[in-house]
Amino acid sequence: MPDLAILGGTVVSPQSEARLNIYVDDGRVAAVTSDVVAADNVVDATGLHVFPGFVDTHVHLMDPGPTEREDFPTGTAAAAARGVTTIVEHTHGHPIRLPDDLTKKREHLRERSHVDYGLAAHVWPDTIDRLHELWEAGVTFFKIFTCTTHGVPGIDTANLWRTFTALADFGGTCLVHCEDEAMTAAAERFLRAEGRTDNAVIAQWRSREAEEVAAAVTALLARHAGAQVNVAHVSTPAVAALVAREREAGADIAAEGCPQYFLLREDELLEHGALRKFTPPARARSDAEEDDMWRLLRHGVLNHISTDHAPSTLEQKRHGSIWDVHFGLPGLDTTAPLLLDAATRGKLSLGDVVRVYAERPAKRYGLFPRKGHLGVGADADIVLADLAATGVVRDQDVLSKAGWTPYAGRSVNGRIVSTFLRGRPLAADGAPVTDEAGRFLPGRGAAA
Ligand SMILES: [Zn+2]
């Protein structure tokens, strides 16, 4: 007899929506069928939509590291409550640079995660020759900064080429934060020399042009090296177009989108300052520009969505000048709800939500077919949502240590009712319901 049956819900995949029953055995999907059979536990999902657990491949939980901003228990509680059952994490303040760092971090994280997790490593200029060791040790991807940010040194064009050729050699994959070092450094010198401390400095320091230049170089080198490359947090249609052009020319390159580039506006920085300080900054200036981003996501020019969850508390965001406060936003509490809301408003289909926040990121980073879908044999990571419900995003519902969200006050359609991890109840009504721990997911290069 199956361990669990989820009966009568509308099961959503990229290809279809159909009223089906899901049966789970031993933590995995055993059948998706219109048949009804007895099971040890039965969940009535009538009137609800059933999604695969969401997969967020760009998350910073600061643990170990600056845990006053976030840690694994709080960050993954937020994930679990909002339907994210798999994350890939990396922390700039405590990077994984060598295999021993991965071993220590895995040891530290035992029993600290509510959801299943992979770990990404950072590329440092002096570790490029040793990346293959980390790949075989089981990191999910390598994070690269093209400009020095959050204390991580920028990888210049020569070292980017070395890194990409190394990755191409052993079949590794990477996520590149694209902003041009020379342009951002020059802008910073100029703005500081002018004595500027107003909120508008962020958009000038971290300009559209600096992002486009770094993305263009990254995409070009990706094609020439034959490396698999992902461009992080693409902020404009222009950057997406650069990436698409190199992909059409043969590069194995994908563009990552984040909700803040679909839902926040450039001018919010002026009013909200540090609470909108993240980089690249939000660029949209009109409904039409936001619609352009949604269209690129629907059409696959933007490959998948992640949060780039990088929280700070209000206290941390409110102390220090606009230059000094941390970059970053909380996102795990809001990303799945905002995507479901966007689907109810016609910005994308429910199938698109599964495609961009489950199937595609899982496929891109070697987590599929275990994660990212509800096919037979996949982990039974399941989200039940009531799309007829309505609500308002509120700071007091945020489980991240941030304790706030830039989306507070927005009306949203849809509510995540409950989440299952490997067939076990994980979260319900906006909070985790178990102390059972998520598992480490080795990257696709892990030595067998
Ligand atoms: Zn990030």
Side-chain angles (χ1 to χ4, degrees), residues 58-60 90 92 143 145 150 175 177 232-233 308-310:
H58 186 164
V59 168
H60 309 288
H90 63 289
H92 307 314
K143 179 64 175 288
F145 280 87
H150 320 297
L175 177 66
H177 178 122
H233 37 55
D308 192 11
H309 180 84

Side-chain angles (χ1 to χ4, degrees), residues 148-318:
T148 301
T149 307
H150 320 297
V152 181
I155 299 295
D156 67 15
T157 307
N159 278 331
L160 198 61
W161 174 248
R162 279 180 64 211
T163 303
F164 285 178
T165 52
L167 294 180
D169 215 38
F170 59 76
T173 189
C174 63
L175 177 66
V176 187
H177 178 122
C178 293
E179 292 182 286
D180 183 76
E181 178 92 293
M183 292 177 77
T184 54
E188 180 175 358
R189 279 194 303 275
F190 174 79
L191 291 161
R192 283 187 188 273
E194 297 253 285
R196 293 274 305 275
T197 56
D198 55 291
N199 294 335
V201 296
I202 298 301
Q204 294 171 37
W205 176 21
R206 301 294 180 147
S207 68
R208 284 172 163 73
E209 295 74 19
E211 184 184 357
E212 286 181 29
V213 167
V217 169
T218 296
L220 181 72
L221 295 186
R223 172 160 60 88
H224 285 308
Q228 188 184 90
V229 171
N230 301 285
V231 175
H233 37 55
V234 165
S235 74
T236 63
V239 175
L242 282 169
V243 172
R245 196 174 68 203
E246 290 298 343
R247 187 167 59 235
E248 278 153 26
D252 183 358
I253 193 164
E256 172 194 80
C258 305
Q260 48 270 36
Y261 306 109
F262 298 77
L263 294 166
L264 300 180
R265 295 284 173 89
E266 183 182 47
D267 62 7
E268 290 179 44
L269 192 53
L270 302 179
E271 185 187 348
H272 295 283
L275 299 183
R276 298 295 183 277
K277 183 187 175 188
F278 51 94
T279 197
R283 314 277 197 199
R285 290 170 174 158
S286 65
D287 288 348
E289 288 187 17
E290 287 187 1
D291 285 345
D292 248 3
M293 292 293 281
W294 289 112
R295 183 178 51 77
L296 293 169
L297 184 62
R298 283 197 306 277
H299 293 177
V301 179
L302 292 161
N303 185 66
H304 62 273
I305 290 289
S306 74
T307 53
D308 192 11
H309 180 84
S312 297
T313 64
L314 284 176
E315 177 81 5
Q316 289 156 357
K317 281 284 197 183
R318 282 177 177 154

